[in-house]
Amino acid sequence: MLYREMGKTGDKVSILGFGCMRFQEINGRIDAQRTERQLLQAIDSGVNYFDTAYVYHGGKSESFLAEVFSKGIRNKVKIATKLPTYLIQSRRGMEEVLGTQLKRLKTDRIDYYLLHMLTDFASWEKMNQLGILDFLQRARRDGKIIHTGFSFHGDRENFKLIVDDYDWDMCQIQYNYLDEYYQAGTEGLQYAAVKGLGVVVMEPLRGGRLVGRIPAEVDKIWSKAEIARTPAEWALRWVWNHPEVTMLLSGMNEEAQIRENIRTAGEAYPNSLAQEELAVVERVKEAYQQLLKIGCTGCRYCLPCPSGVDIPNCLGIYNDKHLFQTKRTKIHYFLMTSGLVGGVPSHASLCSGCGKCEKVCPQQLKIRSHLQDVVRTLEYPAMKQLTGLIHWGIKGLNLVKRRKE
């Protein structure tokens, strides 16, 4: 197992982190015996960073980790978990959640405490208004959390603003060879690293979609490469090749996955891929892009949209549906664009047809027409009305809570 320093913290962490969102389940519950064996297999092989969250597995992920780590393992590993910003409505709420997490994890401290799913600077400002700075300062002073960070799901400009607005220890971003320019992207990765932050990469395999059903055109390129590797190994090595990356997370729930990833994590040094190898990955990337329904690169020059549409996100999810035959795409689209998990509604049917986006699109895409395709394919009937009703209900509940407080 290779290790890198988590930015300015100086912690030596394994370049492969264990993502604890996708444990094996039986009848809707974590398969305890199998998952414990997998966790121990990873630890015995040198993995020392485990990433969970308040909501993973319906709140059971943290508790399950505690059962395993309490058997003489806790001091061998770093635990990362997250404050669910999308559920927090008060300063007291932060304390209550952290207290619950410490009890679930059966520990006196959390090594890396992240603000979960910041989407833009406004979502960070909202937490500021609720007292997050005082909360983090007191929690660190009391030893309840050791290092602070955030996970991010927005554009690179908002990412930079958040990086600069607090003395973070680390951050977590989505990054893979198809997402070089999506969300924080390469520019954000390098920016955070220069600032001294450790950078943890999530979705290095795009939720498994880069290794599942491989399009024939892509499979042909992989099979002709001089060095024989699986699509997973190619994708992970591409991420690890970036010296700015501290580690990547893998939601491993198959023994074969764990063995392959651990083997690769013992060989993947930064800047170790030859130009010929990088060229293979670039050809695969180009093949995927040619298969995409819409040639959006995620550059985000089309934003901000006057009507509030997150154009790259809407087009990206639409592409995923056709490229990867993703199940439950409508539900994913609804969650990511309705504003229910943070931020504001940003779905395609908000488009007013002004055409401002098309004037600045480097790819000269017919964005208004594509957004209509998104609406027809992915949106539930009366989505505007439905999201408005739900937000109205949430505001009402929050008002009741504040009055009780």
Side-chain angles (χ1 to χ4, degrees):
M1 178 63 63
L2 298 179
Y3 298 84
R4 300 183 187 180
E5 285 193 4
M6 183 68 87
K8 56 193 174 188
T9 72
D11 283 351
K12 296 285 187 180
V13 293
S14 52
I15 66 170
L16 175 64
F18 205 117
C20 302
M21 186 176 69
R22 299 186 177 102
F23 291 150
Q24 282 284 1
E25 293 187 339
I26 298 178
N27 298 324
R29 296 185 177 183
I30 297 173
D31 183 343
Q33 292 185 346
R34 184 177 182 186
T35 303
E36 180 173 349
R37 288 197 302 270
Q38 292 174 344
L39 291 171
L40 294 177
Q41 175 187 354
I43 293 169
D44 289 344
S45 300
V47 175
N48 68 356
Y49 186 98
F50 293 80
D51 173 87
T52 184
Y54 184 77
V55 296
Y56 288 175
H57 283 280
K60 301 298 183 183
S61 176
E62 292 173 327
S63 300
F64 182 78
L65 283 180
E67 294 303 317
V68 178
F69 293 163
S70 62
K71 301 174 182 179
I73 297 173
R74 173 65 184 95
N75 291 328
K76 298 180 180 179
V77 300
K78 303 293 184 183
I79 296 176
T81 193
K82 309 177 187 75
L83 179 75
T85 58
Y86 40 88
L87 299 178
I88 298 299
Q89 300 298 328
S90 68
R91 172 71 172 75
R92 188 169 71 183
M94 300 175 196
E95 295 285 356
E96 292 173 350
V97 168
L98 176 58
T100 297
Q101 292 176 299
L102 289 168
K103 288 179 181 178
R104 285 179 179 176
L105 288 163
K106 296 182 179 180
T107 186
D108 60 351
R109 89 274 181 195
I110 294 170
D111 302 293
Y112 289 89
Y113 199 58
L114 286 68
L115 274 64
H116 199 185
M117 288 186 68
L118 293 183
T119 56
D120 53 24
F121 193 72
S123 61
W124 164 240
E125 284 188 317
K126 173 190 172 184
M127 298 305 296
N128 265 313
Q129 292 167 4
L130 294 175
I132 190 68
L133 296 180
D134 180 64
F135 165 73
L136 293 176
Q137 181 182 7
R138 287 175 179 269
R140 294 186 74 164
R141 183 196 64 194
D142 296 341
K144 295 178 180 179
I145 61 177
I146 308 302
H147 301 298
T148 57
F150 65 97
S151 66
F152 186 75
H153 296 270
D155 65 70
R156 58 180 174 270
E157 294 308 319
N158 277 282
F159 175 75
K160 292 178 183 178
L161 290 173
I162 295 172
V163 166
D164 289 340
D165 205 54
Y166 182 72
D167 186 21
W168 305 102
D169 295 308
M170 52 84 70
C171 61
Q172 190 166 306
I173 63 172
Q174 177 171 326
Y175 196 58
N176 55 70
Y177 63 76
L178 283 189
D179 290 332
E180 283 188 89
Y181 308 107
Y182 182 60
Q183 296 186 5
T186 301
E187 186 176 331
L189 165 66
Q190 295 173 344
Y191 189 84
V194 167
K195 296 286 185 174
L197 278 67
V199 183
V200 175
V201 167
M202 56 185 162
E203 304 296 355
L205 303 178
R206 261 201 174 190
R209 285 171 287 178
L210 297 180
V211 296
R213 182 184 296 178
I214 305 295
E217 296 89 337
V218 173
D219 186 58
K220 186 180 298 183
I221 297 171
W222 289 140
S223 62
K224 288 184 177 180
E226 291 187 9
I227 300 177
R229 295 185 179 127
T230 66
E233 183 175 353
W234 277 108
L236 299 186
R237 281 180 177 270
W238 184 90
V239 174
W240 278 320
N241 197 58
H242 295 77
E244 301 88 355
V245 171
T246 304
M247 74 162 60
L248 61 78
L249 299 173
S250 180
M252 302 174 283
N253 56 23
E254 297 282 349
E255 287 73 13
Q257 291 175 356
I258 299 172
R259 287 194 297 271
E260 178 182 1
N261 290 357
I262 287 172
R263 176 186 59 77
T264 307
E267 304 168 354
Y269 290 90
N271 296 319
S272 61
L273 292 182
Q275 287 302 314
E276 295 79 5
E277 296 170 283
L278 292 172
V280 171
V281 178
E282 189 64 25
R283 288 197 294 273
V284 166
K285 177 182 176 181
E286 291 172 357
Y288 271 121
Q289 290 175 338
Q290 290 175 6
L291 291 169
L292 298 174
K293 285 284 184 179
I294 303 171
C296 175
T297 63
C299 71
R300 305 185 77 83
Y301 286 120
C302 56
L303 298 181
C305 166
S307 300
V309 180
D310 187 340
I311 298 169
N313 192 37
C314 290
L315 302 187
I317 296 173
Y318 179 81
N319 271 331
D320 283 354
K321 175 177 175 59
H322 292 88
L323 181 61
F324 299 109
Q325 301 299 312
T326 311
K327 296 179 180 179
R328 299 180 179 177
T329 309
K330 279 191 174 183
I331 296 175
H332 175 65
Y333 174 83
F334 180 76
L335 291 174
M336 294 302 294
T337 65
S338 65
L340 298 182
V341 294
V344 296
S346 58
H347 44 86
S349 58
L350 293 171
C351 174
S352 65
C354 70
K356 180 181 177 182
C357 52
E358 295 181 1
K359 295 177 182 178
V360 296
C361 176
Q363 310 302 320
Q364 300 181 339
L365 299 176
K366 297 179 180 179
I367 295 175
R368 287 174 290 182
S369 176
H370 291 319
L371 289 176
Q372 291 174 11
D373 293 335
V374 174
V375 172
R376 285 190 291 268
T377 306
L378 296 178
E379 292 200 5
Y380 293 99
M383 185 165 176
K384 284 184 181 179
Q385 293 82 355
L386 178 60
T387 54
L389 180 63
I390 293 174
H391 277 274
W392 177 82
I394 291 174
K395 288 181 180 179
L397 289 173
N398 292 338
L399 180 61
V400 171
K401 287 181 180 178
R402 286 196 293 270
R403 286 177 177 174
K404 289 181 177 180
E405 292 174 354

